[in-house]
Amino acid sequence: MGLKNKLKLAIFISGRGSNMLSIMDACNEPNFPAEISVVLSNNPEAAGIISASNAGIASEIVNHKEHDSRESFESEIQRKLKKHDVDLIVLAGFMRILTPEFIEQWPDKIINIHPSLLPEYKGLNTHERAINDGKSEAGCTVHFASAELDSGEIILQRKVPIKNGDTPQTLAARVLEQEHVAYPLAIKLLASSL
Ligand code: GAR
């Protein structure tokens, strides 16, 4: 028997969607306390959209290139979300910055995964920067989205070592494995508190 009253997720992606797949796998476990209502992509060519469709999950595309302002882009996202039952927005490799106005409409209901141990290495090229700084540890962070980029309250982090000879690619792969553990765990944690 599965759980009733599961947390309804909208997963936002822009590309590959491997984090989305890890959440999808978790949601397929009968006792996982969340389910995916919709996958939304700003990129009509995101591979993750095909994976979602193949799994029979509703998907929506809101192409930012068809909007001349962030406000118009985000209004369209809100319109699409209204078609679905959504408790929590899960940013999983969504590479558009959301405005504070959008975030305020979903207070404590938007989470993000970032490939660094925040507050270190906000923004892009996190692995390259950590290696160049001679760090011995890297990792990923699941956090609430806030008006300031990559700065909301931290839900959980997972660490990996940085090894001699690591390249941004080898480190990214090691961190990504932990992302795939971290995101389902964080969603489970939130489901018990929301
Ligand atoms: C992940 O590594 C995620 O942490 C990162 O993009 C990748 C998406 O991979 N997100 C960011 O850099 C956000 N600032 P995926 O599409 O396979 O889940």
Side-chain angles (χ1 to χ4, degrees), residues 98-128:
L98 294 168
T99 63
E101 291 72 26
F102 184 94
I103 291 169
E104 276 161 19
Q105 289 179 55
W106 293 87
D108 292 334
K109 299 250 177 323
I110 308 179
I111 61 174
N112 181 44
I113 191 157
H114 184 74
S116 80
L117 296 172
L118 290 173
E120 291 197 315
Y121 307 116
K122 298 173 183 179
L124 298 176
N125 305 318
T126 54
H127 306 304
E128 187 182 353

Side-chain angles (χ1 to χ4, degrees), residues 15-20 92-95 112-115 123-124 150 176 179:
R16 181 176 56 182
S18 71
N19 276 291
M20 176 203 74
F94 185 66
M95 302 311 267
N112 181 44
I113 191 157
H114 184 74
L124 298 176
D150 298 332
L176 191 64
E179 293 187 38

Side-chain angles (χ1 to χ4, degrees), residues 121-187:
Y121 307 116
K122 298 173 183 179
L124 298 176
N125 305 318
T126 54
H127 306 304
E128 187 182 353
R129 287 151 63 205
I131 292 170
N132 288 345
D133 287 348
K135 296 279 180 183
S136 59
E137 261 184 345
C140 62
T141 304
V142 180
H143 64 98
F144 286 103
S146 66
E148 203 184 322
L149 185 69
D150 298 332
S151 298
E153 185 193 337
I154 291 175
I155 300 163
L156 64 85
Q157 295 188 307
R158 289 183 69 94
K159 293 180 178 174
V160 300
I162 299 182
K163 298 181 181 171
N164 278 340
D166 259 339
T167 63
Q169 290 72 26
T170 58
L171 180 56
R174 194 174 307 123
V175 172
L176 191 64
E177 264 181 44
Q178 294 308 312
E179 293 187 38
H180 295 163
V181 178
Y183 230 169
L185 264 179
I187 291 166

Side-chain angles (χ1 to χ4, degrees), residues 13-18 20-21 24 39 41-55 59 61 93:
I13 62 169
S14 293
R16 181 176 56 182
S18 71
M20 176 203 74
L21 286 173
M24 206 187 281
V39 172
S41 175
N42 65 300
N43 170 10
E45 283 165 19
I49 284 290
I50 297 165
S51 319
S53 304
N54 288 342
S59 59
I61 291 171

